[in-house]
Amino acid sequence: MPLYENQELKIYNSLTGEKERFKPITKDYVGMYVCGPTVYSNVHLGNCRTFISFDLVFRYLKHLGYKVRYVRNITDAGHLENDAETGEDRIAKKARLEEIEPMEVVQKYTVDFHQILHQFNNLPPSIEPTATGHIIEQIELIKKIIEKGLAYEANGSVYFDVIKYNQSKHYGILSKRKLEDMIANTRELDGQSDKKNPQDFALWKKAEPQHIMRWPSPWGVGFPGWHLECTVMSSKYLGESFDIHGGGMDLKFPHHECEIAQGEAAHDKSPVNYWMHANMLTLNGKKMAKSTGNNILPKELFSGNNDVLSKSYSPSVTRFFMLQANYRSILDFSDEALQAAEKGFNRLMEAISLVESLPESNQSSLNISKWRQNCYDAMNDDFNSPILIAHLFEAVKMINAVRTEQAKITAADKVLLSETMHNFVFDVLGLIPNIDLVSGQDRNRVEKLVELLISLRKKARDNKDFSLSDLIRDELNKVGIQLKDSREGTSFTIKND
């Protein structure tokens, strides 16, 4: 029997503003879509927090026994500067500035994005589609919306008719806005736009001669609107209605609002049952911004090569720090907070390493079953990772009490304690212990295991099984063990993430 049969998960739904009991559309199966990055620059920590938050959701749903299809897109076209309707495509602009092809920009920063999330130990999504890979589907969806009378062509561009849509639906249902207020607060464009109304948004934009990224369409050469890709790819891979849609709080309006309108217009049904939004990061109490210098990239955080923090922090410690706050709350990065997280992380990992050696008794003075359910209750309450972590530190106290003979534990309870700690710390929270915490006899065992894997890798290479050889190298690197090949053979170093 899957765990979800005995656990009642509740999710805070941004659409209703309430925590609701989670009930998937299809039994045993969860469809989840998360808005991915626009790959025109190095991924920043705010983005990372969003993707770590939804990695936690993905991991917990899988832990409960659901089959999860997690779709996270790559925006590689159509996202204009400042989220506006006019101006330059962010990727095309970067390509022009660097004097390279737009797809070189896309490749460079997609690789960076994957490398950083790999260091944070994020699981890859089930499907990672791109906007440029779905141009045909986007054109077909635009045709459908035009046929419904809710979009119109103007001078080679196609716009969604918000006012007409709002006659039968509510544009603003997610962000709790009223169209009348939006209209009242909008300045007239004095005929400078092809749009009927300032609130209308682009489904397809006419490409000016200097625009690098362009595709043929029934309305002329152009490129898709930013909002459209997510509607197209989520409905293609998850269906016209699916369970969970996630993203950063900054995407609620207009991006997610436009997705709802497009989905309703095209398919005559609400596209998503549960909308989830992760909150922002601040740095030393202020908004992160490149322009003010109050900004730090993940690589700068890991290396310590920055002017903001006093030392480096490993990806696992940084991940642990982020998960100490609820995904819906603002989180402030500071030296003091990260140092406290590092100490807590080390305490937690040390306690886990001691569980197997705890003395066993015929009776237990600890209620491990109740503690275990408390851990589930925390995660069932809208993925409340800070409360879960508080319960894990209760276990640290229990472990130390048994170790110092102030408490007793049975063999069965010890197994339950060990399994629960591993399930929540490694499988659900996705933490990886720093190899530096391993010492003495355990370190010798680790080194012998690495040497064994190196010999197996050599055999694989001799047999030209390069996929296995690369897998061994990559998996070792993932846990902080770096291999170095030379003429003399293969050596390894144990690094601190």
Side-chain angles (χ1 to χ4, degrees):
M1 179 185 293
L3 281 168
Y4 64 76
E5 296 280 6
N6 299 317
Q7 304 294 334
E8 186 175 290
L9 173 62
K10 289 187 177 181
I11 295 177
Y12 180 85
N13 190 347
S14 298
L15 191 64
T16 62
E18 295 179 356
K19 288 180 186 176
E20 299 175 4
R21 182 172 178 266
F22 178 64
K23 187 176 180 182
I25 294 169
T26 305
K27 182 176 167 56
D28 304 330
Y29 170 85
V30 178
M32 180 169 80
Y33 186 91
V34 173
C35 292
T38 302
V39 281
Y40 71 103
S41 65
N42 297 108
V43 64
H44 60 76
L45 278 174
N47 286 143
C48 292
R49 188 202 182 183
T50 295
F51 300 126
I52 287 170
S53 296
F54 288 104
D55 184 61
L56 175 74
V57 173
F58 183 35
R59 286 171 174 274
Y60 189 59
L61 291 170
K62 283 164 65 76
H63 175 72
L64 289 179
Y66 288 110
K67 296 173 184 174
V68 187
R69 177 176 287 174
Y70 174 18
V71 182
R72 186 184 67 212
N73 70 304
I74 295 285
T75 297
D76 57 354
H79 193 171
L80 304 187
E81 293 178 89
N82 304 315
D83 300 344
E85 286 289 326
T86 59
E88 227 177 333
D89 183 291
R90 291 180 174 186
I91 291 162
K93 181 180 180 182
K94 194 63 173 273
R96 179 174 56 78
L97 293 173
E98 296 191 7
E99 296 183 334
I100 58 176
E101 282 291 323
M103 285 301 116
E104 288 182 79
V105 173
V106 167
Q107 179 69 9
K108 177 181 177 181
Y109 294 113
T110 300
V111 168
D112 170 76
F113 173 67
H114 288 152
Q115 286 177 341
I116 294 299
L117 290 197
H118 180 73
Q119 286 182 279
F120 275 124
N121 199 33
N122 274 30
L123 298 173
S126 315
I127 304 172
E128 193 173 50
T130 64
T132 57
H134 295 76
I135 297 294
I136 292 171
E137 291 93 334
Q138 291 179 77
I139 289 171
E140 290 304 311
L141 193 76
I142 294 170
K143 288 180 184 176
K144 197 170 185 179
I145 297 173
I146 290 174
E147 287 170 9
K148 296 283 186 74
L150 292 169
Y152 57 91
E153 186 269 338
N155 193 27
S157 294
V158 180
Y159 296 98
F160 189 94
D161 194 331
V162 169
I163 290 180
K164 193 167 184 183
Y165 169 82
N166 204 60
Q167 290 172 359
S168 58
K169 303 290 183 181
H170 178 192
Y171 181 75
I173 190 171
L174 180 65
S175 56
K176 312 296 184 283
R177 302 182 186 208
K178 291 183 178 179
L179 184 57
E180 303 80 47
D181 295 336
M182 291 186 237
I183 292 170
N185 293 326
T186 303
R187 291 168 59 188
E188 288 297 326
L189 298 178
D190 298 325
Q192 294 177 7
S193 172
D194 294 318
K195 296 192 284 186
K196 289 181 181 177
N197 311 289
Q199 287 70 36
D200 295 349
F201 57 88
L203 300 175
W204 186 264
K205 289 287 288 181
K206 177 184 178 181
E208 299 303 325
Q210 70 274 16
H211 200 94
I212 308 172
M213 304 180 84
R214 52 205 295 132
W215 292 267
S217 81
W219 316 285
V221 175
F223 56 94
W226 171 39
H227 313 305
L228 188 68
E229 61 173 297
C230 289
T231 295
V232 165
M233 291 187 278
S234 61
S235 61
K236 176 171 181 174
Y237 298 111
L238 299 174
E240 294 174 359
S241 288
F242 56 95
D243 299 301
I244 298 171
H245 193 314
M249 196 78 76
D250 57 319
L251 298 180
K252 188 182 286 187
F253 187 89
H255 187 55
H256 290 161
E257 199 73 70
C258 293
E259 279 191 62
I260 291 174
Q262 290 166 164
E264 288 267 13
H267 306 127
D268 297 312
K269 60 180 75 170
S270 179
V272 179
N273 282 359
Y274 303 87
W275 284 91
M276 297 179 67
H277 291 93
N279 217 322
M280 63 184 285
L281 281 180
T282 56
L283 182 60
N284 293 322
K286 298 176 183 176
K287 184 179 179 181
M288 286 195 190
K290 289 180 184 177
S291 57
T292 61
N294 193 53
N295 186 61
I296 184 170
L297 292 173
K299 286 179 181 175
E300 296 169 341
L301 179 67
F302 304 155
S303 67
N305 184 24
N306 63 82
D307 299 324
V308 184
L309 303 172
S310 65
K311 65 187 287 289
S312 64
Y313 295 94
S314 73
S316 248
V317 166
T318 308
R319 182 184 177 100
F320 179 66
F321 168 69
M322 290 189 187
L323 294 174
Q324 283 183 304
N326 185 275
Y327 75 92
R328 288 190 288 117
S329 64
I330 294 173
L331 175 63
D332 186 54
F333 258 75
S334 69
D335 241 347
E336 186 180 356
L338 283 162
Q339 285 175 18
E342 188 172 55
K343 288 177 183 175
F345 176 85
N346 291 342
R347 276 182 58 216
L348 183 61
M349 293 302 167
E350 184 183 10
I352 290 171
S353 71
L354 295 171
V355 174
E356 296 304 320
S357 62
L358 291 179
E360 296 167 5
S361 178
N362 292 329
Q363 57 183 8
S364 182
S365 59
L366 304 169
N367 192 337
I368 302 300
S369 294
K370 183 181 178 184
W371 165 81
R372 176 179 179 272
Q373 187 55 48
N374 288 341
C375 292
Y376 279 103
D377 289 345
M379 286 301 292
N380 291 338
D381 182 19
D382 192 34
F383 311 97
N384 203 329
S385 56
I387 300 299
L388 169 63
I389 289 170
H391 290 311
L392 293 174
F393 277 106
E394 288 175 15
V396 171
K397 291 179 184 176
M398 291 191 289
I399 290 165
N400 288 327
V402 173
R403 188 171 60 87
T404 56
E405 299 183 351
Q406 296 175 42
K408 294 180 179 180
I409 193 168
T410 62
D413 273 354
K414 191 168 91 169
V415 169
L416 186 61
L417 174 64
S418 178
E419 285 180 353
T420 306
M421 288 289 276
H422 277 77
N423 285 342
F424 281 105
V425 173
F426 302 126
D427 296 345
V428 174
L429 293 180
L431 303 177
I432 299 176
N434 290 340
I435 201 73
D436 284 358
L437 296 173
V438 181
S439 58
Q441 188 177 2
D442 286 340
R443 189 178 182 92
N444 290 334
R445 287 175 183 159
V446 168
E447 289 174 350
K448 285 178 181 177
L449 282 170
V450 174
E451 286 166 2
L452 173 63
L453 287 167
I454 287 172
S455 67
L456 291 173
R457 180 171 174 263
K458 184 178 183 302
K459 277 187 180 179
R461 293 176 79 184
D462 291 343
N463 293 331
K464 300 192 184 307
D465 188 353
F466 298 115
S467 60
L468 177 58
S469 166
D470 290 346
L471 179 65
I472 293 171
R473 179 200 62 208
D474 294 343
E475 289 302 307
L476 284 173
N477 189 60
K478 187 177 175 181
V479 295
I481 299 168
Q482 195 168 47
L483 302 186
K484 186 176 181 181
D485 296 318
S486 66
R487 290 181 181 177
E488 290 75 33
T490 302
S491 60
F492 68 93
T493 54
I494 299 175
K495 57 180 181 174
N496 185 11
D497 274 330

